[in-house]
Amino acid sequence: MDLFGNLIIGFESALSLQNLLYAFMGCVLGTLIGVLPGLGPLATISMLLPFTFGLDPTAALIMLAGIYYGAAYGGSTTAILVNLPGETSSVVTVLDGYQMARQGRAGVAIATAAIGSFFAGCVGTLILAAFAAPLASVAFRFGGAEYFSLMVVGLIGAVSLASGSIMKAIGMILIGVILGTVGTDLNSGVQRFTFGTPNLWEGIDFIVIAVGLFAFGEVIASLESDANRETFTDNMGRLMPRAEDFRRMTPAILRGTSIGALLGILPGAGLSLSSFFSYSLEKKVSRFRGELGKGAIEGVAGPEAANNAAAQTAFIPTLTLGIPGSPTMALMLGAMVMHNIQPGPQVMTSNPALFWGLIVSMWIGNLILIILNLPLVGLWVRLLSIPYRVLYPAILLFCCLGVYSVQFSTFDLFLAAGFGLAGYALRKLECEPAPLVLGFVLGPLLEENFRRAMVLSQGDYMVFVREPISLCFLILAAALLITAMFPKIRRERDAILHEET
């Protein structure tokens, strides 16, 4: 079936009353989570995963996707007004957005972020619709060796693009892979790393790790943050940009959209790196690069367009290959598995209403989001005054209810609390917990495809380099790891992300 016919199927699914409602709910929750500092899409999706069990799979994925790209929208509001990114992809927006607010142009900065995000989100969704089917057809040719090597690329991508120490990131990946092996081996029936505890015979539930590391861990870490910041929520200034502002922001939006669309497809790249590369490019090619860091509109338009384009195209490897390109995509992959949907190229043919309905819902979601981010900006601003002593206990209660409702197990609650403390400890040790989740999700798949390749090749390890596609993936993984080890590259990245305003 051609693209036009597939989109008709998608519109029929996405425009149903139920799916429209859940798309709206996801966008509202995503924007809310993006606005409130200390939270993020990882923590929010982790909290809500248990409550999607009773939903139709299409509705559940549409809502979770709305939270994901809605947070990319909402995070810019806090970055601009409070000098505190609502979520990680808005780190770069702080550099110029907050300076624009100090100059009395907070409204223009917020409108610029919304306009750039809307355009980039629509383009990213169009790319997803156009390239998902061809990529899925290629994926049908993959065997065990090719899938194994592709997953290695995804894991190495997460390692090479993580901030901080390469060795710490590798350690997080390995811990995640080991945690993924806990339970009973389906091939041999042997119990692995269960320590004689019957509660671990079926392995560690994905919800427990996700909620513990991100929701619990984020709350504990945020309690230490300094809430006393200079804010500009009273004097917003005019909202709509002038003609000169549009003239300056347009090239930055186009460049940011191109960068984000490309990096979103690559496993491990993520939204934050897209913003970083966009800002770095503006510092090299913009006619007004001397103003960057001092309130240049390009410093808001480019990164915001980049992270929203990446938010859409990140679904391509997840939906078509079953390989999550980011920690949030790993949660989306886990949601699909929980709803008995096997990720990979067969989703497009076995469940076209879900696949194309999700894609079309992104167009609808982007329209909802620009409505939420411009006329309702005053509402989001007021949310910044919510006392965190009220907010965080409610989040913890919601998390506990979600974890307990999965298997009605108090053991899972204690386990989630343990992972929460571990998540806090990892942050204090400057170890990112996100690669651990990627390792946990991809670890069992990595092992399964390794075994499959070994069986088909009769134990010949050379199968991974004899197959051309597998060899290319392994070379790419090695190149990513070697490149990331160059001190100059890491210094340049850290310099921009930690630049003083």
Side-chain angles (χ1 to χ4, degrees):
M1 186 179 292
D2 59 6
L3 177 61
F4 182 74
N6 288 326
L7 290 178
I8 291 178
I9 295 175
F11 275 106
E12 290 177 350
S13 175
L15 291 178
S16 69
L17 183 61
Q18 175 185 353
N19 290 339
L20 281 174
L21 175 62
Y22 283 107
F24 178 78
M25 289 174 57
C27 291
V28 171
L29 285 172
T31 304
L32 171 64
I33 293 308
V35 167
L36 293 175
L39 299 176
L42 276 172
T44 309
I45 293 176
S46 300
M47 287 188 293
L48 293 179
L49 272 179
F51 298 96
T52 65
F53 282 146
L55 298 180
D56 176 77
T58 303
L61 290 176
I62 285 175
M63 184 180 72
L64 295 175
I67 293 171
Y68 174 55
Y69 52 79
Y73 268 76
S76 60
T77 301
T78 313
I80 292 167
L81 297 178
V82 191
N83 195 26
L84 182 67
E87 60 105 21
T88 55
S89 66
S90 300
V91 168
V92 182
T93 308
V94 167
L95 301 178
D96 285 275
Y98 187 65
Q99 294 301 321
M100 289 182 68
R102 296 183 68 178
Q103 298 165 11
R105 305 187 69 208
V108 173
I110 291 174
T112 299
I115 293 169
S117 298
F118 176 73
F119 176 82
C122 291
V123 172
T125 305
L126 181 63
I127 293 173
L128 171 59
F131 289 95
L135 187 60
S137 64
V138 173
F140 275 116
R141 304 175 186 174
F142 281 24
E146 288 82 4
Y147 268 115
F148 173 84
S149 301
L150 178 61
M151 291 174 192
V152 171
V153 171
L155 293 175
I156 295 298
V159 168
S160 61
L161 299 176
S163 63
S165 168
I166 289 287
M167 295 307 298
K168 289 180 179 179
I170 293 175
M172 291 296 96
I173 288 284
L174 293 177
I175 291 174
V177 171
I178 292 173
L179 289 174
T181 63
V182 173
T184 305
D185 182 14
L186 296 179
N187 292 282
S188 64
V190 175
Q191 295 175 16
R192 302 184 294 187
F193 305 113
T194 60
F195 304 100
T197 304
N199 293 294
L200 292 177
W201 285 357
E202 295 185 4
I204 301 174
D205 197 284
F206 178 76
I207 296 293
V208 173
I209 284 188
V211 172
L213 284 179
F214 295 107
F216 287 178
E218 201 68 51
V219 167
I220 298 172
S222 296
L223 292 175
E224 291 186 337
S225 63
D226 181 15
N228 297 319
R229 296 174 179 266
E230 184 182 9
T231 63
F232 297 92
T233 56
D234 296 328
N235 182 21
M236 296 285 296
R238 62 177 289 150
L239 187 63
M240 287 307 297
R242 297 185 175 91
E244 173 66 14
D245 294 325
F246 277 108
R247 187 179 67 82
R248 289 183 56 173
M249 78 168 72
T250 300
I253 289 174
L254 293 175
R255 288 189 290 262
T257 301
S258 302
I259 291 173
L262 176 62
L263 292 181
I265 297 174
L266 301 177
L271 278 64
S272 301
L273 194 71
S274 302
S275 301
F276 155 71
F277 271 113
S278 174
Y279 194 81
S280 180
L281 180 64
E282 292 304 315
K283 296 191 80 169
K284 289 180 171 60
V285 305
S286 174
R287 292 172 51 199
F288 306 94
R289 53 183 174 271
E291 299 179 22
L292 286 168
K294 303 174 183 177
I297 199 169
E298 293 86 353
V300 175
E304 283 300 308
N307 68 45
N308 279 275
Q312 313 296 319
T313 57
F315 281 90
I316 292 179
T318 303
L319 293 177
T320 59
L321 300 176
I323 304 297
S326 68
T328 309
M329 285 296 100
L331 294 182
M332 295 294 294
L333 193 70
M336 294 176 69
V337 172
M338 288 188 333
H339 284 277
N340 296 319
I341 300 170
Q342 183 62 40
Q346 67 275 10
V347 173
M348 194 176 301
T349 54
S350 63
N351 202 335
L354 181 145
F355 184 88
W356 293 103
L358 178 60
I359 290 177
V360 171
S361 75
M362 295 180 187
W363 270 313
I364 299 171
N366 276 285
L367 182 61
I368 293 173
L369 283 168
I370 199 167
I371 295 174
L372 290 174
N373 277 266
L374 290 180
L376 300 181
V377 66
L379 174 62
W380 306 124
V381 167
R382 293 189 185 94
L383 289 174
L384 295 174
S385 62
I386 294 178
Y388 278 78
R389 63 179 181 274
V390 174
L391 184 64
Y392 284 138
I395 292 174
L396 290 175
L397 176 62
F398 195 66
C399 290
C400 291
L401 290 174
V403 170
Y404 183 76
S405 66
V406 176
Q407 298 186 32
F408 300 101
S409 169
T410 55
F411 178 82
D412 285 349
L413 284 175
F414 288 111
L415 199 58
F419 278 114
L421 295 175
Y424 172 71
L426 291 175
R427 287 168 173 81
K428 300 297 287 185
L429 295 171
E430 298 183 351
C431 297
E432 291 189 28
L436 188 151
V437 174
L438 282 176
F440 180 80
V441 171
L442 291 183
L445 298 174
L446 195 75
E447 180 185 18
E448 177 186 348
N449 284 285
F450 177 80
R451 284 177 167 175
R452 184 183 303 166
M454 287 292 94
V455 169
L456 294 177
S457 65
Q458 298 181 347
D460 184 7
Y461 290 95
M462 296 301 295
V463 67
F464 298 107
V465 296
R466 190 169 55 245
E467 298 294 335
I469 297 178
S470 176
L471 177 61
C472 289
F473 283 140
L474 291 178
I475 293 174
L476 176 59
L480 284 173
L481 189 58
I482 293 172
T483 302
M485 290 181 177
F486 286 121
K488 182 180 178 181
I489 293 177
R490 300 200 68 81
R491 283 199 303 267
E492 288 181 354
R493 179 178 185 270
D494 292 340
I496 290 183
L497 288 178
H498 298 93
E499 183 174 338
E500 293 293 330
T501 58

